[in-house]
Every structure is written in C-alpha cells, then in structure tokens.
Amino acid sequence: MANTVLKYNVSGSSSWVPYYVPNQSEHPGILGELVPQLLIQAKIDSEKQNYPPKRTNQALDSGLLDFDLVSPSWFPNEDMGDKFVTSDPIINIQENIITLKENAVAWQNIDSIKGQVIGTVRGYLYHDDAFFTRFDFTSERELIKALHKKRINAAISGDLPALYWSKQLNLPITLAAVHSDGVLVMRLRKEHKDLLPRINAAIAILKDNGTIKTITDKYTLHAILSE
C-alpha cells in the first residue's frame, strides 16, 4: 500500500517574514524550516505547494491541499469547521492593530476597529471581520506602505512581519491593541486524522529537544529582525 503524501502550503503572503521567506532555500523562515522537520520526525511524506492565501483556503476546502498552519484565534469562536482536525500547539503567534505613532492613542482598544475601514491582507482570515470593513492589500509590506501614504489609518498584521517590514522600508509604525494572541497549529483534513498522533508526537519531540526554539530564535532574535 502506498504511503500517504500530504500536500501543504505555508507561504501566507509573499511578505509573511519571518514565518516564511520566499525564494530563500537556505533561510526559508520559521515554518519553512520547521514544517519539513516536523513531517520527517513524524515519518510522513509530503509535497509542498505555493498558493496565495485565498487559494490555499479554497484548496483545503476542496481537498487539493491536506493541511496548513493557522491559529484558531483567526477564526470566529476558534471554529475551523467540521472538515478538519487540529494538532497540538506548535508556536505562539500574535497580531496587532498597526498604525502610525501619531495615531496610536486612538487604537489602543481593540473595540476601536468596529465600524472602521481597516487594512487587511487579501485572503487572510480575521475572526471579527464582520465588525469592520476590510481594505485588502496583497501583503504585510503593502500595509506598511499604505499607512504612510495615508490610504488607511490602521491595519491588522502579525507583530513580527509588521516590525520586519517597518525596518526594511524605513517606515516607522506602532503596534497598538492586540488583535489576536494565540498559537499556530496544523489544520489537517479529517480524512487524515489517523496521522494526528504521529504529528503530535513529533511536535512534542521537537519542543523537548529544542528544535522549535532554535529555529524560532534564529529568525526572531538574530538574522531576520536585526538586519
């Protein structure tokens, strides 16, 4: 019987640094390094795809992809639907309202986004986007530029991608209210649920032996955020 080959995508947007760094085989980002090691540890064959976020969600829903890495905090009521099972937590992840320093006071309370136009990344999931008007851009990088062009007053971004692109573009931003504070998990189609114990065991091993911390520190304490 042939081994199951799990098809997956971890790219997020083209600017989801430091979680994924496109076209950098030596330094592909936290998830670019971690996911292959996790699957090897779990003894699961895989095939990496490269879809944009919107197509990733569609491909997962239709079965063209078998898993991705998401945070339950991105979904309303942390409900990812009945087609999926989820792994144990892999790493922590946080999103913030980002804005310019002169506007930061107005965005210190998360309720301030209600009824407002908020910069978002096309195809990304936001647990509360029924309460604000999305203004979609192609990436976190474009959110930073849009803030400085005054096209938007506030946006939602992962804290690390926002800080990275702010530094790279030399366009200062402020992290205001926390929008979501959670963990990344593997969202796996339910037909592969028998693989979940192996996946969770691999996560535990990579935590215990320091692999997850080493990879995370590499991209958050050293090269990526200190260039």
Side-chain angles (χ1 to χ4, degrees):
M1 183 177 176
N3 289 337
T4 299
V5 178
L6 296 185
K7 297 182 179 67
Y8 73 98
N9 180 69
V10 297
S11 62
S13 81
S14 61
S15 301
W16 201 34
V17 181
Y19 299 102
Y20 181 75
V21 184
N23 306 314
Q24 295 287 333
S25 58
E26 296 298 315
H27 301 286
I30 295 171
L31 299 180
E33 287 197 30
L34 181 54
V35 173
Q37 291 198 41
L38 193 160
L39 294 168
I40 289 168
Q41 183 66 50
K43 295 182 172 59
I44 296 172
D45 293 330
S46 64
E47 184 178 304
K48 182 175 174 293
Q49 308 291 322
N50 190 23
Y51 292 155
K54 186 174 182 180
R55 283 197 61 203
T56 295
N57 291 321
Q58 293 169 345
L60 276 160
D61 190 62
S62 67
L64 289 175
L65 290 176
D66 298 304
F67 77 87
D68 68 349
L69 280 294
V70 294
S71 175
S73 66
W74 300 343
F75 295 78
N77 303 313
E78 300 197 351
D79 181 7
M80 285 178 267
D82 57 9
K83 291 184 178 180
F84 303 99
V85 293
T86 57
S87 74
D88 291 339
I90 302 171
I91 59 172
N92 295 325
I93 193 163
Q94 180 176 301
E95 288 178 322
N96 286 73
I97 303 301
I98 61 170
T99 188
L100 302 183
K101 183 177 180 180
E102 59 264 31
N103 299 328
V105 172
W107 301 97
Q108 294 302 319
N109 187 317
I110 194 60
D111 288 338
S112 61
I113 67 175
K114 291 183 177 178
Q116 302 298 313
V117 175
I118 303 295
T120 48
V121 177
R122 185 174 300 122
Y124 275 22
L125 302 162
Y126 301 90
H127 67 274
D128 56 352
D129 63 3
F131 298 104
F132 61 84
T133 300
R134 294 179 65 139
F135 191 155
D136 278 353
F137 294 84
T138 56
S139 69
E140 291 84 351
R141 182 176 185 269
E142 296 306 311
L143 290 179
I144 303 292
K145 291 164 67 176
L147 285 171
H148 278 267
K149 290 177 180 177
K150 308 297 175 65
R151 296 184 67 192
I152 50 175
N153 293 320
I156 298 170
S157 174
D159 55 349
L160 298 182
L163 292 170
Y164 174 81
W165 286 110
S166 173
K167 184 178 181 69
Q168 292 300 304
L169 296 168
N170 194 27
L171 296 174
I173 55 98
T174 295
L175 299 180
V178 173
H179 178 253
S180 68
D181 188 7
V183 293
L184 278 182
V185 301
M186 181 183 290
R187 173 172 60 156
L188 179 69
R189 284 188 59 91
K190 192 171 282 185
E191 56 261 38
H192 303 300
K193 65 182 179 181
D194 290 349
L195 297 175
L196 202 56
R198 286 157 59 182
I199 292 165
N200 286 335
I203 292 169
I205 289 168
L206 295 182
K207 283 183 177 180
D208 290 345
N209 68 16
T211 298
I212 290 177
K213 184 178 188 305
T214 297
I215 292 173
T216 302
D217 286 353
K218 171 182 175 181
Y219 288 95
T220 58
L221 298 182
H222 307 306
I224 292 299
L225 292 182
S226 61
E227 287 178 351

